[in-house]
Amino acid sequence: MDSIVTAQDYLAKYGIKPSVQRIAIMEYLMEHRTHPSTDEIHSVLIKWMPTLSKTTVYNTLKLFTEQGALTALGIDDRNIRYDIDVSDHAHFICLGCGKVYDIPVDHLDKLIVRGGEELTITETHLYYKGYCKLCDNKRLK
């Protein structure tokens, strides 16, 4: 992510009008780059925003994704995860602990799809699944 310092600046960059809830959600995403789900974000923010509904969090994340400020990741079979890093990169999910890792990938935009001449590709998602070092060590014991 570039050097934008505030949630308000980041929202403005993507043409999103700030509100107390939107700023709080964006600040959470900027501070916790853990690929959280809607439930994770809601469970943290509800502690100091008791009127914040899960629907508001869901709709806000949907808006952020539609405006290009976030990427929605369908890597987890149970939840959509959200990534504030909208640059080209791959993801790895640990099948043991569920943690999602960013994986830098060079030239993802130059990936050649055979037989894709009749297709207009607007998004590319590259996911890997396996075990992180800690979970793999536990699994092999």
Side-chain angles (χ1 to χ4, degrees), residues 30-48:
M30 293 172 88
E31 292 171 15
H32 303 90
R33 308 190 90 193
T34 58
H35 308 89
S37 67
T38 303
D39 289 339
E40 289 172 44
I41 295 168
H42 181 259
S43 68
V44 171
L45 296 183
I46 192 73
K47 293 173 186 168
W48 63 274

Side-chain angles (χ1 to χ4, degrees), residues 3-48:
S3 62
I4 295 174
V5 292
T6 68
Q8 293 93 327
D9 290 341
Y10 192 76
L11 294 173
K13 176 182 174 183
Y14 290 95
I16 300 168
K17 291 183 181 179
S19 69
V20 173
Q21 294 88 352
R22 289 175 181 174
I23 291 168
I25 292 167
M26 184 52 68
E27 284 175 346
Y28 180 84
L29 290 163
M30 293 172 88
E31 292 171 15
H32 303 90
R33 308 190 90 193
T34 58
H35 308 89
S37 67
T38 303
D39 289 339
E40 289 172 44
I41 295 168
H42 181 259
S43 68
V44 171
L45 296 183
I46 192 73
K47 293 173 186 168
W48 63 274

Side-chain angles (χ1 to χ4, degrees), residues 7-133:
Q8 293 93 327
D9 290 341
Y10 192 76
L11 294 173
K13 176 182 174 183
Y14 290 95
I16 300 168
K17 291 183 181 179
S19 69
V20 173
Q21 294 88 352
R22 289 175 181 174
I23 291 168
I25 292 167
M26 184 52 68
E27 284 175 346
Y28 180 84
L29 290 163
M30 293 172 88
E31 292 171 15
H32 303 90
R33 308 190 90 193
T34 58
H35 308 89
S37 67
T38 303
D39 289 339
E40 289 172 44
I41 295 168
H42 181 259
S43 68
V44 171
L45 296 183
I46 192 73
K47 293 173 186 168
W48 63 274
M49 293 182 83
T51 60
L52 182 68
S53 71
K54 197 178 289 189
T55 301
T56 297
V57 176
Y58 172 81
N59 288 336
T60 300
L61 294 170
K62 184 176 183 220
L63 171 68
F64 290 175
T65 302
E66 288 169 350
Q67 293 299 111
L70 292 180
T71 301
L73 306 175
I75 191 171
D76 183 343
D77 294 335
R78 297 171 300 208
N79 297 299
I80 299 294
R81 305 286 195 100
Y82 295 91
D83 191 357
I84 195 168
D85 181 354
V86 295
S87 68
D88 285 340
H89 62 282
H91 291 95
F92 173 89
I93 187 167
C94 177
L95 298 172
C97 63
K99 185 174 179 185
V100 178
Y101 298 85
D102 287 332
I103 301 176
V105 178
D106 292 332
H107 310 294
L108 186 60
D109 59 330
K110 296 191 179 13
L111 185 69
I112 297 172
V113 178
R114 298 191 195 283
E117 299 85 19
E118 299 174 15
L119 307 173
T120 301
I121 298 171
T122 59
E123 292 182 36
T124 302
H125 299 277
L126 185 56
Y127 302 136
Y128 296 96
K129 295 183 179 188
Y131 295 93
C132 68
K133 191 172 191 172

